[in-house]
Amino acid sequence: MKNLDKGIVLGFVRDLLLSLIASLFAILLLRWVTAPIGGFTFLIFKWLGLSLVASFIAFLVSKYYKRDRDVVSRESILHLVVAVFIKDIVLTLFLLLGLVSFPIVSDAVLLLFTDVLFTLLICQYVRISQGTEVRRIRSLSAARTALVVGTDEAAVQMANELNEAGTFNVVGLVSQNRSMNGRIIGNYTVYYVNNPAAVDHLKWKIGGIDCIFFPRANAQNSIETELSNDQKLLTEENIAKLDAAAKRSFDIVVSFLLLVIFSPLILICGIAVKMEDGGPAFYRQERIGMGGRKFRLVKFRSMRTDAESMGTPALCCGEADPRLTRVGRFIRAHHLDELPQMWNVLVGDMSFVGWRPEREFFVKQIMERDSRFQYLYQIRPGVTSFATVYNGYTDTMEKMLTRLDQDIYYLRSRSIAFDAKILMLTFLNIVSGKKF
């Protein structure tokens, strides 16, 4: 573990402690579900010592300490699976050598308890650590969005100073050199802008710009002069197109497979909704989607047929909403009412990850308060969203405006990796029973 920074070392120690806690809870749980074990107190310390050694070996061999421990990603999950597998092998070896002794059935149960508890502890830690990201996003949302003209050292320095001050959130640098478009300089994306129309297009692309700063020109330090115009690079624009194509392909394939796999469950839910009050099983509601176009969102009906008999759209206020049917309350609590939206994904109305689509009635109210909502129209709405993962569904206008801040953040930060993280967090929330 040479040349590792302090954060990695502290994270390594923290993960060892989490693993040790999981081992302690596992052996206590084993004692609770089995017959009394002789010399149990001494056995606890012996088991914890061996678990500590096994965890240390597993984390080193799997390079678990190198993962990004504050996010859920394919790499972090793979590291976790490999680490748990190696730890099991080492502990099994210790058990076979007789370094610690339990009944043979208890050995398997103990390892299972240890794995499950450690995984739950890691997932809970990741969930808690998301709070740091939420606070950071809220501070960015409160700051005004800015661009800095130039790609030299003076421009990068100004961008850094503005971000450190916290009043402005610098989202990129501006250049009139076309060959610079899409390059990354000092952690900032360079955007090619050569006329007012291009500025308007850029505003649309990144979700609004409040300020543009012009630092003092410093031609001698300009990074542009060090790069030839004939260099062929994969620009941000081309990367975005590739990501969009990959995302749409994923949506089509996975939505089709899910419709096939869950067809029995969809049939059961449909019959249950229909049988309760004789009303329609599906609920089709007009929503605003990509490009501001209207589409019909399909869900299982969870409310009475006269839920909006007054003619005014009303948001659901949670499980206590008196308009919910008995079956509807159940399928909403377990997110089964969303299953028919796989059809919306398949036909291209929606994506798995995006922004949650709203009815025109509420969109107009949001636009009156914050016109940035229009920038979301350049991407498809989603079955889940970054805002849904952290704040759940919205039942007030203030929550809708908070959600908009997070949707704009997603618009500026979207990528395949970010979508994978959101899907994984959504899955964890559903499995853990989180209400959202």
Side-chain angles (χ1 to χ4, degrees):
M1 295 176 62
K2 295 181 179 179
N3 302 322
L4 295 181
D5 61 35
K6 184 179 179 181
I8 291 180
V9 174
L10 290 176
F12 185 86
V13 173
R14 189 210 61 233
D15 289 341
L16 282 177
L17 289 176
L18 288 176
S19 180
L20 206 59
I21 292 172
S23 297
L24 175 60
F25 286 164
I27 195 170
L28 292 176
L29 187 59
L30 177 69
R31 172 63 185 82
W32 182 63
V33 300
T34 60
I37 300 174
F40 185 68
T41 302
F42 175 71
L43 199 59
I44 288 179
F45 289 103
K46 196 173 182 180
W47 167 251
L48 292 180
L50 294 176
S51 294
L52 184 62
V53 173
S55 299
F56 189 87
I57 294 172
F59 291 167
L60 284 181
V61 173
S62 67
K63 297 187 177 359
Y64 183 64
Y65 60 89
K66 288 186 176 182
R67 84 194 196 286
D68 188 346
R69 51 186 32 82
D70 292 334
V71 300
V72 176
S73 64
R74 182 175 61 85
E75 290 76 16
S76 64
I77 293 172
L78 180 62
H79 279 303
L80 174 61
V81 171
V82 173
V84 170
F85 180 70
I86 295 175
K87 180 183 177 182
D88 282 350
I89 292 177
V90 177
L91 285 176
T92 301
L93 181 62
F94 289 160
L95 291 169
L96 292 175
L97 291 175
L99 298 180
V100 63
S101 179
F102 299 98
I104 188 65
V105 175
S106 298
D107 290 349
V109 174
L110 184 61
L111 289 176
L112 176 62
F113 286 169
T114 303
D115 293 346
V116 171
L117 288 169
F118 177 64
T119 302
L120 290 176
L121 283 171
I122 289 295
C123 290
Q124 186 62 25
Y125 173 81
V126 170
R127 186 190 298 270
I128 293 172
S129 69
Q130 301 300 326
T132 303
E133 185 173 8
V134 171
R135 289 191 292 272
R136 180 175 65 84
I137 293 166
R138 286 174 179 168
S139 65
L140 289 176
S141 299
R144 286 177 287 177
T145 304
L147 292 169
V148 175
V149 176
T151 56
D152 56 13
E153 293 178 6
V156 174
Q157 181 178 353
M158 173 176 275
N160 290 335
E161 290 174 352
L162 290 169
N163 279 336
E164 289 171 3
T167 307
F168 294 95
N169 171 29
V170 178
V171 294
L173 305 176
V174 172
S175 173
Q176 291 184 327
N177 185 342
R178 185 184 295 273
S179 67
M180 295 297 294
N181 186 52
R183 297 179 187 269
I184 305 296
I185 296 177
N187 296 322
Y188 300 103
T189 300
V190 179
Y191 298 100
Y192 168 64
V193 174
N194 64 342
N195 56 57
V199 175
D200 291 338
H201 175 72
L202 187 55
K203 287 182 179 180
W204 169 267
K205 180 179 179 181
I206 63 178
I209 301 168
D210 297 314
C211 304
I212 299 178
F213 290 92
F214 295 82
R216 293 180 180 179
N218 190 347
Q220 291 182 344
N221 292 329
S222 176
I223 302 175
E224 292 183 11
T225 59
E226 301 174 7
L227 299 167
S228 61
N229 291 336
D230 59 352
Q231 282 184 290
K232 303 297 183 183
L233 291 178
L234 191 62
T235 65
E236 185 195 57
E237 186 99 17
N238 291 331
I239 293 174
K241 290 179 180 178
L242 290 174
D243 280 357
K247 181 174 181 175
R248 182 61 191 139
S249 299
F250 173 85
D251 286 343
I252 293 173
V253 173
V254 176
S255 61
F256 177 77
L257 291 176
L258 290 179
L259 283 171
V260 174
I261 294 171
F262 288 113
S263 56
L265 181 58
I266 292 173
L267 179 61
I268 293 171
C269 289
I271 293 174
V273 173
K274 180 72 176 177
M275 288 182 64
E276 180 170 13
D277 59 7
F282 296 101
Y283 179 62
R284 295 173 178 83
Q285 191 178 73
E286 193 174 78
R287 300 286 180 101
I288 303 298
M290 186 176 182
R293 295 185 295 272
K294 298 177 182 179
F295 72 97
R296 289 280 181 177
L297 181 140
V298 186
K299 300 176 70 174
F300 281 122
R301 182 175 58 85
S302 58
M303 293 188 177
R304 301 193 311 264
T305 54
D306 62 346
E308 292 184 348
S309 58
M310 300 298 293
T312 302
L315 296 167
C316 179
C317 55
E319 292 185 12
D321 195 316
R323 298 173 299 167
L324 289 172
T325 63
R326 184 167 53 87
V327 172
R329 186 172 286 107
F330 176 83
I331 62 175
R332 283 184 72 95
H334 296 84
H335 307 286
L336 298 176
D337 61 320
E338 311 281 0
L339 282 175
Q341 290 179 47
M342 296 303 103
W343 173 255
N344 289 118
V345 175
L346 181 63
V347 299
D349 294 330
M350 299 175 66
S351 177
F352 277 107
V353 181
W355 49 280
R356 287 299 294 169
E358 276 298 346
R359 285 177 277 182
E360 186 177 19
F361 177 83
F362 295 111
V363 169
K364 289 180 178 179
Q365 293 184 46
I366 296 172
M367 290 283 283
E368 290 175 358
R369 301 276 295 273
D370 193 333
S371 62
R372 292 182 304 160
F373 189 89
Q374 63 182 314
Y375 297 131
L376 300 179
Y377 290 162
Q378 59 191 294
I379 59 176
R380 288 181 176 86
V383 176
T384 186
S385 71
F386 178 72
T388 301
V389 166
Y390 289 105
N391 285 342
Y393 291 136
T394 55
D395 54 8
T396 66
M397 182 53 58
E398 292 306 317
K399 288 182 180 180
M400 285 184 172
L401 294 173
T402 299
R403 182 181 65 183
L404 177 58
D405 287 333
Q406 295 178 331
D407 285 336
I408 292 293
Y409 174 83
Y410 170 76
L411 176 66
R412 294 170 179 162
S413 310
R414 66 190 188 278
S415 66
I416 292 177
F418 197 14
D419 282 0
K421 171 185 173 180
I422 293 170
L423 287 172
M424 180 55 64
L425 288 173
T426 301
F427 174 76
L428 290 176
N429 286 344
I430 293 174
V431 170
S432 63
K434 180 180 178 181
K435 304 300 181 183
F436 66 93

PDB file of all heavy atoms in Angstrom, residues 128-158:
ATOM      1  N   ILE A 128     -25.500   6.728   3.149  1.00  0.00           N
ATOM      2  CA  ILE A 128     -25.268   7.894   4.006  1.00  0.00           C
ATOM      3  C   ILE A 128     -24.326   8.877   3.334  1.00  0.00           C
ATOM      4  O   ILE A 128     -24.501  10.094   3.389  1.00  0.00           O
ATOM      5  CB  ILE A 128     -24.699   7.444   5.365  1.00  0.00           C
ATOM      6  CG1 ILE A 128     -25.755   6.646   6.134  1.00  0.00           C
ATOM      7  CG2 ILE A 128     -24.245   8.636   6.196  1.00  0.00           C
ATOM      8  CD1 ILE A 128     -25.235   5.997   7.405  1.00  0.00           C
ATOM      9  N   SER A 129     -23.294   8.351   2.662  1.00  0.00           N
ATOM     10  CA  SER A 129     -22.308   9.237   2.031  1.00  0.00           C
ATOM     11  C   SER A 129     -22.911  10.048   0.895  1.00  0.00           C
ATOM     12  O   SER A 129     -22.365  11.077   0.505  1.00  0.00           O
ATOM     13  CB  SER A 129     -21.133   8.401   1.495  1.00  0.00           C
ATOM     14  OG  SER A 129     -21.538   7.616   0.387  1.00  0.00           O
ATOM     15  N   GLN A 130     -24.059   9.578   0.358  1.00  0.00           N
ATOM     16  CA  GLN A 130     -24.703  10.346  -0.696  1.00  0.00           C
ATOM     17  C   GLN A 130     -25.153  11.705  -0.178  1.00  0.00           C
ATOM     18  O   GLN A 130     -25.324  12.649  -0.944  1.00  0.00           O
ATOM     19  CB  GLN A 130     -25.924   9.592  -1.247  1.00  0.00           C
ATOM     20  CG  GLN A 130     -25.621   8.222  -1.823  1.00  0.00           C
ATOM     21  CD  GLN A 130     -24.650   8.259  -2.976  1.00  0.00           C
ATOM     22  OE1 GLN A 130     -24.641   9.179  -3.755  1.00  0.00           O
ATOM     23  NE2 GLN A 130     -23.820   7.236  -3.070  1.00  0.00           N
ATOM     24  N   GLY A 131     -25.361  11.809   1.148  1.00  0.00           N
ATOM     25  CA  GLY A 131     -25.770  13.089   1.722  1.00  0.00           C
ATOM     26  C   GLY A 131     -24.775  14.180   1.436  1.00  0.00           C
ATOM     27  O   GLY A 131     -25.133  15.344   1.228  1.00  0.00           O
ATOM     28  N   THR A 132     -23.482  13.828   1.425  1.00  0.00           N
ATOM     29  CA  THR A 132     -22.445  14.807   1.105  1.00  0.00           C
ATOM     30  C   THR A 132     -22.630  15.325  -0.305  1.00  0.00           C
ATOM     31  O   THR A 132     -22.520  16.527  -0.567  1.00  0.00           O
ATOM     32  CB  THR A 132     -21.051  14.160   1.243  1.00  0.00           C
ATOM     33  OG1 THR A 132     -20.904  13.652   2.559  1.00  0.00           O
ATOM     34  CG2 THR A 132     -19.964  15.182   0.961  1.00  0.00           C
ATOM     35  N   GLU A 133     -22.938  14.405  -1.245  1.00  0.00           N
ATOM     36  CA  GLU A 133     -23.146  14.812  -2.630  1.00  0.00           C
ATOM     37  C   GLU A 133     -24.387  15.680  -2.762  1.00  0.00           C
ATOM     38  O   GLU A 133     -24.398  16.658  -3.515  1.00  0.00           O
ATOM     39  CB  GLU A 133     -23.268  13.577  -3.520  1.00  0.00           C
ATOM     40  CG  GLU A 133     -23.358  13.927  -4.994  1.00  0.00           C
ATOM     41  CD  GLU A 133     -23.319  12.700  -5.870  1.00  0.00           C
ATOM     42  OE1 GLU A 133     -23.368  11.577  -5.339  1.00  0.00           O
ATOM     43  OE2 GLU A 133     -23.245  12.864  -7.099  1.00  0.00           O
ATOM     44  N   VAL A 134     -25.448  15.346  -2.017  1.00  0.00           N
ATOM     45  CA  VAL A 134     -26.666  16.152  -2.078  1.00  0.00           C
ATOM     46  C   VAL A 134     -26.394  17.572  -1.622  1.00  0.00           C
ATOM     47  O   VAL A 134     -26.850  18.538  -2.239  1.00  0.00           O
ATOM     48  CB  VAL A 134     -27.766  15.509  -1.207  1.00  0.00           C
ATOM     49  CG1 VAL A 134     -28.956  16.438  -1.088  1.00  0.00           C
ATOM     50  CG2 VAL A 134     -28.205  14.181  -1.805  1.00  0.00           C
ATOM     51  N   ARG A 135     -25.650  17.720  -0.511  1.00  0.00           N
ATOM     52  CA  ARG A 135     -25.327  19.066  -0.023  1.00  0.00           C
ATOM     53  C   ARG A 135     -24.495  19.835  -1.037  1.00  0.00           C
ATOM     54  O   ARG A 135     -24.675  21.043  -1.219  1.00  0.00           O
ATOM     55  CB  ARG A 135     -24.589  18.964   1.310  1.00  0.00           C
ATOM     56  CG  ARG A 135     -25.481  18.522   2.470  1.00  0.00           C
ATOM     57  CD  ARG A 135     -24.777  18.688   3.794  1.00  0.00           C
ATOM     58  NE  ARG A 135     -23.663  17.767   3.924  1.00  0.00           N
ATOM     59  CZ  ARG A 135     -23.759  16.532   4.407  1.00  0.00           C
ATOM     60  NH1 ARG A 135     -24.938  16.077   4.799  1.00  0.00           N
ATOM     61  NH2 ARG A 135     -22.700  15.762   4.505  1.00  0.00           N
ATOM     62  N   ARG A 136     -23.578  19.132  -1.710  1.00  0.00           N
ATOM     63  CA  ARG A 136     -22.750  19.803  -2.712  1.00  0.00           C
ATOM     64  C   ARG A 136     -23.604  20.264  -3.885  1.00  0.00           C
ATOM     65  O   ARG A 136     -23.440  21.376  -4.399  1.00  0.00           O
ATOM     66  CB  ARG A 136     -21.658  18.847  -3.204  1.00  0.00           C
ATOM     67  CG  ARG A 136     -20.726  19.461  -4.256  1.00  0.00           C
ATOM     68  CD  ARG A 136     -19.617  18.489  -4.582  1.00  0.00           C
ATOM     69  NE  ARG A 136     -20.112  17.303  -5.213  1.00  0.00           N
ATOM     70  CZ  ARG A 136     -20.352  17.195  -6.520  1.00  0.00           C
ATOM     71  NH1 ARG A 136     -20.147  18.238  -7.314  1.00  0.00           N
ATOM     72  NH2 ARG A 136     -20.788  16.076  -7.038  1.00  0.00           N
ATOM     73  N   ILE A 137     -24.544  19.431  -4.307  1.00  0.00           N
ATOM     74  CA  ILE A 137     -25.416  19.785  -5.427  1.00  0.00           C
ATOM     75  C   ILE A 137     -26.296  20.972  -5.062  1.00  0.00           C
ATOM     76  O   ILE A 137     -26.520  21.876  -5.867  1.00  0.00           O
ATOM     77  CB  ILE A 137     -26.278  18.583  -5.833  1.00  0.00           C
ATOM     78  CG1 ILE A 137     -25.382  17.492  -6.417  1.00  0.00           C
ATOM     79  CG2 ILE A 137     -27.342  18.973  -6.845  1.00  0.00           C
ATOM     80  CD1 ILE A 137     -26.057  16.163  -6.527  1.00  0.00           C
ATOM     81  N   ARG A 138     -26.797  20.988  -3.830  1.00  0.00           N
ATOM     82  CA  ARG A 138     -27.625  22.108  -3.405  1.00  0.00           C
ATOM     83  C   ARG A 138     -26.840  23.413  -3.406  1.00  0.00           C
ATOM     84  O   ARG A 138     -27.364  24.469  -3.764  1.00  0.00           O
ATOM     85  CB  ARG A 138     -28.188  21.829  -2.011  1.00  0.00           C
ATOM     86  CG  ARG A 138     -29.301  20.775  -2.032  1.00  0.00           C
ATOM     87  CD  ARG A 138     -29.749  20.414  -0.636  1.00  0.00           C
ATOM     88  NE  ARG A 138     -30.819  19.428  -0.678  1.00  0.00           N
ATOM     89  CZ  ARG A 138     -31.252  18.763   0.383  1.00  0.00           C
ATOM     90  NH1 ARG A 138     -30.703  18.977   1.582  1.00  0.00           N
ATOM     91  NH2 ARG A 138     -32.236  17.895   0.266  1.00  0.00           N
ATOM     92  N   SER A 139     -25.558  23.342  -2.998  1.00  0.00           N
ATOM     93  CA  SER A 139     -24.749  24.567  -3.011  1.00  0.00           C
ATOM     94  C   SER A 139     -24.481  25.022  -4.437  1.00  0.00           C
ATOM     95  O   SER A 139     -24.469  26.225  -4.730  1.00  0.00           O
ATOM     96  CB  SER A 139     -23.421  24.331  -2.273  1.00  0.00           C
ATOM     97  OG  SER A 139     -22.617  23.383  -2.957  1.00  0.00           O
ATOM     98  N   LEU A 140     -24.292  24.046  -5.352  1.00  0.00           N
ATOM     99  CA  LEU A 140     -24.090  24.401  -6.760  1.00  0.00           C
ATOM    100  C   LEU A 140     -25.362  24.999  -7.355  1.00  0.00           C
ATOM    101  O   LEU A 140     -25.310  25.915  -8.175  1.00  0.00           O
ATOM    102  CB  LEU A 140     -23.665  23.168  -7.562  1.00  0.00           C
ATOM    103  CG  LEU A 140     -22.253  22.632  -7.321  1.00  0.00           C
ATOM    104  CD1 LEU A 140     -22.030  21.358  -8.111  1.00  0.00           C
ATOM    105  CD2 LEU A 140     -21.195  23.668  -7.686  1.00  0.00           C
ATOM    106  N   SER A 141     -26.513  24.468  -6.938  1.00  0.00           N
ATOM    107  CA  SER A 141     -27.784  24.970  -7.447  1.00  0.00           C
ATOM    108  C   SER A 141     -28.025  26.410  -7.001  1.00  0.00           C
ATOM    109  O   SER A 141     -28.610  27.209  -7.721  1.00  0.00           O
ATOM    110  CB  SER A 141     -28.931  24.083  -6.967  1.00  0.00           C
ATOM    111  OG  SER A 141     -28.766  22.766  -7.439  1.00  0.00           O
ATOM    112  N   ALA A 142     -27.568  26.724  -5.786  1.00  0.00           N
ATOM    113  CA  ALA A 142     -27.752  28.079  -5.272  1.00  0.00           C
ATOM    114  C   ALA A 142     -26.819  29.074  -5.949  1.00  0.00           C
ATOM    115  O   ALA A 142     -27.110  30.270  -6.011  1.00  0.00           O
ATOM    116  CB  ALA A 142     -27.522  28.092  -3.760  1.00  0.00           C
ATOM    117  N   ALA A 143     -25.690  28.597  -6.465  1.00  0.00           N
ATOM    118  CA  ALA A 143     -24.730  29.481  -7.127  1.00  0.00           C
ATOM    119  C   ALA A 143     -25.180  29.785  -8.555  1.00  0.00           C
ATOM    120  O   ALA A 143     -25.851  28.982  -9.193  1.00  0.00           O
ATOM    121  CB  ALA A 143     -23.351  28.826  -7.146  1.00  0.00           C
ATOM    122  N   ARG A 144     -24.792  30.960  -9.040  1.00  0.00           N
ATOM    123  CA  ARG A 144     -25.114  31.330 -10.417  1.00  0.00           C
ATOM    124  C   ARG A 144     -24.167  30.622 -11.383  1.00  0.00           C
ATOM    125  O   ARG A 144     -22.978  30.504 -11.119  1.00  0.00           O
ATOM    126  CB  ARG A 144     -25.014  32.845 -10.579  1.00  0.00           C
ATOM    127  CG  ARG A 144     -26.174  33.603  -9.939  1.00  0.00           C
ATOM    128  CD  ARG A 144     -25.996  35.100 -10.049  1.00  0.00           C
ATOM    129  NE  ARG A 144     -24.967  35.573  -9.149  1.00  0.00           N
ATOM    130  CZ  ARG A 144     -24.540  36.837  -9.069  1.00  0.00           C
ATOM    131  NH1 ARG A 144     -25.076  37.745  -9.863  1.00  0.00           N
ATOM    132  NH2 ARG A 144     -23.612  37.178  -8.224  1.00  0.00           N
ATOM    133  N   THR A 145     -24.718  30.176 -12.505  1.00  0.00           N
ATOM    134  CA  THR A 145     -23.934  29.459 -13.500  1.00  0.00           C
ATOM    135  C   THR A 145     -23.124  30.434 -14.340  1.00  0.00           C
ATOM    136  O   THR A 145     -23.634  31.469 -14.768  1.00  0.00           O
ATOM    137  CB  THR A 145     -24.860  28.641 -14.421  1.00  0.00           C
ATOM    138  OG1 THR A 145     -25.647  27.774 -13.608  1.00  0.00           O
ATOM    139  CG2 THR A 145     -24.065  27.819 -15.405  1.00  0.00           C
ATOM    140  N   ALA A 146     -21.852  30.106 -14.579  1.00  0.00           N
ATOM    141  CA  ALA A 146     -20.973  31.030 -15.295  1.00  0.00           C
ATOM    142  C   ALA A 146     -20.065  30.299 -16.272  1.00  0.00           C
ATOM    143  O   ALA A 146     -19.794  29.098 -16.124  1.00  0.00           O
ATOM    144  CB  ALA A 146     -20.123  31.822 -14.299  1.00  0.00           C
ATOM    145  N   LEU A 147     -19.625  31.030 -17.291  1.00  0.00           N
ATOM    146  CA  LEU A 147     -18.593  30.603 -18.224  1.00  0.00           C
ATOM    147  C   LEU A 147     -17.450  31.608 -18.152  1.00  0.00           C
ATOM    148  O   LEU A 147     -17.662  32.783 -17.848  1.00  0.00           O
ATOM    149  CB  LEU A 147     -19.132  30.546 -19.652  1.00  0.00           C
ATOM    150  CG  LEU A 147     -20.171  29.479 -19.986  1.00  0.00           C
ATOM    151  CD1 LEU A 147     -20.779  29.757 -21.353  1.00  0.00           C
ATOM    152  CD2 LEU A 147     -19.537  28.094 -19.967  1.00  0.00           C
ATOM    153  N   VAL A 148     -16.266  31.153 -18.434  1.00  0.00           N
ATOM    154  CA  VAL A 148     -15.103  32.046 -18.485  1.00  0.00           C
ATOM    155  C   VAL A 148     -14.543  31.988 -19.896  1.00  0.00           C
ATOM    156  O   VAL A 148     -14.309  30.906 -20.441  1.00  0.00           O
ATOM    157  CB  VAL A 148     -14.028  31.638 -17.465  1.00  0.00           C
ATOM    158  CG1 VAL A 148     -12.783  32.503 -17.633  1.00  0.00           C
ATOM    159  CG2 VAL A 148     -14.569  31.769 -16.049  1.00  0.00           C
ATOM    160  N   VAL A 149     -14.340  33.155 -20.508  1.00  0.00           N
ATOM    161  CA  VAL A 149     -13.817  33.237 -21.871  1.00  0.00           C
ATOM    162  C   VAL A 149     -12.313  33.046 -21.847  1.00  0.00           C
ATOM    163  O   VAL A 149     -11.593  33.712 -21.094  1.00  0.00           O
ATOM    164  CB  VAL A 149     -14.171  34.586 -22.510  1.00  0.00           C
ATOM    165  CG1 VAL A 149     -13.538  34.693 -23.900  1.00  0.00           C
ATOM    166  CG2 VAL A 149     -15.681  34.757 -22.604  1.00  0.00           C
ATOM    167  N   GLY A 150     -11.822  32.137 -22.691  1.00  0.00           N
ATOM    168  CA  GLY A 150     -10.392  31.884 -22.789  1.00  0.00           C
ATOM    169  C   GLY A 150     -10.014  30.498 -22.336  1.00  0.00           C
ATOM    170  O   GLY A 150     -10.788  29.824 -21.633  1.00  0.00           O
ATOM    171  N   THR A 151      -8.824  30.071 -22.743  1.00  0.00           N
ATOM    172  CA  THR A 151      -8.324  28.753 -22.345  1.00  0.00           C
ATOM    173  C   THR A 151      -6.915  28.846 -21.785  1.00  0.00           C
ATOM    174  O   THR A 151      -6.232  27.835 -21.655  1.00  0.00           O
ATOM    175  CB  THR A 151      -8.316  27.800 -23.564  1.00  0.00           C
ATOM    176  OG1 THR A 151      -7.543  28.385 -24.622  1.00  0.00           O
ATOM    177  CG2 THR A 151      -9.724  27.527 -24.053  1.00  0.00           C
ATOM    178  N   ASP A 152      -6.466  30.071 -21.473  1.00  0.00           N
ATOM    179  CA  ASP A 152      -5.117  30.231 -20.944  1.00  0.00           C
ATOM    180  C   ASP A 152      -5.115  30.085 -19.429  1.00  0.00           C
ATOM    181  O   ASP A 152      -6.133  29.812 -18.798  1.00  0.00           O
ATOM    182  CB  ASP A 152      -4.528  31.580 -21.371  1.00  0.00           C
ATOM    183  CG  ASP A 152      -5.414  32.747 -20.945  1.00  0.00           C
ATOM    184  OD1 ASP A 152      -6.316  32.521 -20.127  1.00  0.00           O
ATOM    185  OD2 ASP A 152      -5.187  33.864 -21.443  1.00  0.00           O
ATOM    186  N   GLU A 153      -3.943  30.274 -18.844  1.00  0.00           N
ATOM    187  CA  GLU A 153      -3.802  30.095 -17.405  1.00  0.00           C
ATOM    188  C   GLU A 153      -4.653  31.090 -16.627  1.00  0.00           C
ATOM    189  O   GLU A 153      -5.189  30.771 -15.553  1.00  0.00           O
ATOM    190  CB  GLU A 153      -2.332  30.222 -17.011  1.00  0.00           C
ATOM    191  CG  GLU A 153      -1.459  29.085 -17.550  1.00  0.00           C
ATOM    192  CD  GLU A 153      -0.003  29.265 -17.184  1.00  0.00           C
ATOM    193  OE1 GLU A 153       0.303  30.212 -16.424  1.00  0.00           O
ATOM    194  OE2 GLU A 153       0.827  28.472 -17.654  1.00  0.00           O
ATOM    195  N   ALA A 154      -4.785  32.305 -17.157  1.00  0.00           N
ATOM    196  CA  ALA A 154      -5.575  33.330 -16.481  1.00  0.00           C
ATOM    197  C   ALA A 154      -7.046  32.916 -16.418  1.00  0.00           C
ATOM    198  O   ALA A 154      -7.710  33.124 -15.397  1.00  0.00           O
ATOM    199  CB  ALA A 154      -5.431  34.673 -17.201  1.00  0.00           C
ATOM    200  N   ALA A 155      -7.555  32.310 -17.504  1.00  0.00           N
ATOM    201  CA  ALA A 155      -8.951  31.876 -17.531  1.00  0.00           C
ATOM    202  C   ALA A 155      -9.194  30.744 -16.536  1.00  0.00           C
ATOM    203  O   ALA A 155     -10.185  30.744 -15.794  1.00  0.00           O
ATOM    204  CB  ALA A 155      -9.327  31.434 -18.943  1.00  0.00           C
ATOM    205  N   VAL A 156      -8.278  29.768 -16.508  1.00  0.00           N
ATOM    206  CA  VAL A 156      -8.415  28.648 -15.579  1.00  0.00           C
ATOM    207  C   VAL A 156      -8.335  29.131 -14.134  1.00  0.00           C
ATOM    208  O   VAL A 156      -9.095  28.702 -13.271  1.00  0.00           O
ATOM    209  CB  VAL A 156      -7.334  27.579 -15.859  1.00  0.00           C
ATOM    210  CG1 VAL A 156      -7.390  26.485 -14.789  1.00  0.00           C
ATOM    211  CG2 VAL A 156      -7.523  26.975 -17.238  1.00  0.00           C
ATOM    212  N   GLN A 157      -7.418  30.075 -13.881  1.00  0.00           N
ATOM    213  CA  GLN A 157      -7.273  30.605 -12.527  1.00  0.00           C
ATOM    214  C   GLN A 157      -8.546  31.339 -12.091  1.00  0.00           C
ATOM    215  O   GLN A 157      -9.008  31.178 -10.959  1.00  0.00           O
ATOM    216  CB  GLN A 157      -6.073  31.550 -12.452  1.00  0.00           C
ATOM    217  CG  GLN A 157      -5.837  32.113 -11.061  1.00  0.00           C
ATOM    218  CD  GLN A 157      -4.614  33.021 -11.003  1.00  0.00           C
ATOM    219  OE1 GLN A 157      -3.860  33.130 -11.960  1.00  0.00           O
ATOM    220  NE2 GLN A 157      -4.413  33.665  -9.870  1.00  0.00           N
ATOM    221  N   MET A 158      -9.113  32.139 -12.999  1.00  0.00           N
ATOM    222  CA  MET A 158     -10.346  32.850 -12.664  1.00  0.00           C
ATOM    223  C   MET A 158     -11.478  31.860 -12.385  1.00  0.00           C
ATOM    224  O   MET A 158     -12.255  32.042 -11.429  1.00  0.00           O
ATOM    225  CB  MET A 158     -10.755  33.789 -13.792  1.00  0.00           C
ATOM    226  CG  MET A 158     -12.124  34.432 -13.580  1.00  0.00           C
ATOM    227  SD  MET A 158     -12.567  35.634 -14.841  1.00  0.00           S
ATOM    228  CE  MET A 158     -11.760  37.095 -14.187  1.00  0.00           C
TER     229      MET A 158
END
